[in-house]
Amino acid sequence: MNRFVIEFLPLLCLLAIHQVQAEGIPDEIQDYVSSNMPNYEFFTGRLKLWSRDTYEDEKPWSITLDINGDNQTDWVGFLAKDLEPDSPLAKSFIQDLDLYCVCSTSNGFTHFLLLESVGAVAKDDSVSAGIYERQPGLYESQVDDQENRLISNPSVEYTNFEKSSRIFFWDGDSFEQFWTSD
């Protein structure tokens, strides 16, 4: 077999896999994350098996929308980072997931940590959480001591399947969260 094929085919396959992993995420957001958040990569796992029959989207952790109302593309999704070797979880898991929003600005992009440590997973492993776009509107709370909330821009609902959910939304200055179930 050709030496070039033997030596470079694995590298080409890795590059192709990396391209597929970020499919559907605008190039400028991919560039921003790789340049400004070097410890992170886009999560490429899958839903836990029991969740796949219940939820339509098999990979619900990447959404492109205009979350801050500036008529520009923003992105919300899970980003994976390698666990520190001395972490107690590092023996069983390889990566930890965080929920981030990358928002457009007049100078490019900025990012916001919405939820830290969504879960520790083995690389490309399955998770039992997802995010879903929610349209502007009045949202009802199922949580005691929390009033219903009118949300004026598209928002993102984070769901920890079979447990709880909350909506992350832009209030004009920063992100807030509104619990929809407990």
Side-chain angles (χ1 to χ4, degrees):
M1 187 176 247
N2 184 328
R3 183 174 176 221
F4 174 81
V5 172
I6 292 171
E7 290 181 11
F8 292 102
L9 187 59
L11 178 61
L12 292 173
C13 289
L14 283 174
L15 289 172
I17 289 169
H18 178 73
Q19 199 65 10
V20 169
Q21 290 175 346
E23 186 177 322
I25 299 169
D27 291 342
E28 60 272 12
I29 291 175
Q30 291 182 53
D31 292 344
Y32 175 84
V33 169
S34 65
S35 297
N36 295 282
M37 305 170 75
N39 296 331
Y40 285 96
E41 61 186 51
F42 293 96
F43 180 61
T44 60
R46 59 195 179 280
L47 283 176
K48 292 215 180 279
L49 187 58
W50 60 265
S51 302
R52 292 183 203 159
D53 293 334
T54 309
Y55 303 96
E56 292 177 21
D57 190 349
E58 288 188 28
K59 295 187 175 188
W61 38 76
S62 178
I63 298 175
T64 302
L65 72 167
D66 177 18
I67 199 165
N68 60 356
D70 65 356
N71 296 315
Q72 295 189 43
T73 301
D74 305 314
W75 176 84
V76 177
F78 292 170
L79 291 176
K81 65 182 175 193
D82 290 341
L83 288 167
E84 296 295 325
D86 59 346
S87 165
L89 295 173
K91 291 179 183 166
S92 302
F93 303 101
I94 298 171
Q95 295 182 312
D96 196 16
L97 301 179
D98 293 336
L99 180 62
Y100 269 95
C101 179
V102 177
C103 284
S104 58
T105 67
S106 57
N107 299 335
F109 292 94
T110 190
H111 60 274
F112 299 90
L113 176 63
L114 300 179
L115 188 60
E116 188 171 21
S117 198
V118 170
V121 296
K123 192 171 185 97
D124 298 328
D125 195 7
S126 55
V127 296
S128 58
I131 56 173
Y132 301 92
E133 183 175 355
R134 296 296 177 236
Q135 295 305 310
L138 182 63
Y139 285 88
E140 238 180 83
S141 175
Q142 303 298 319
V143 179
D144 294 339
D145 301 329
Q146 182 176 269
E147 294 183 15
N148 296 341
R149 186 71 185 246
L150 180 62
I151 298 175
S152 56
N153 289 323
S155 56
V156 171
E157 185 168 14
Y158 165 79
T159 301
N160 191 345
F161 300 132
E162 309 296 328
K163 293 183 180 179
S164 63
S165 62
R166 56 187 129 165
I167 295 176
F168 290 93
F169 64 97
W170 184 255
D171 76 351
D173 296 314
S174 62
F175 280 95
E176 289 192 26
Q177 58 184 329
F178 174 76
W179 289 86
T180 53
S181 68
D182 192 10

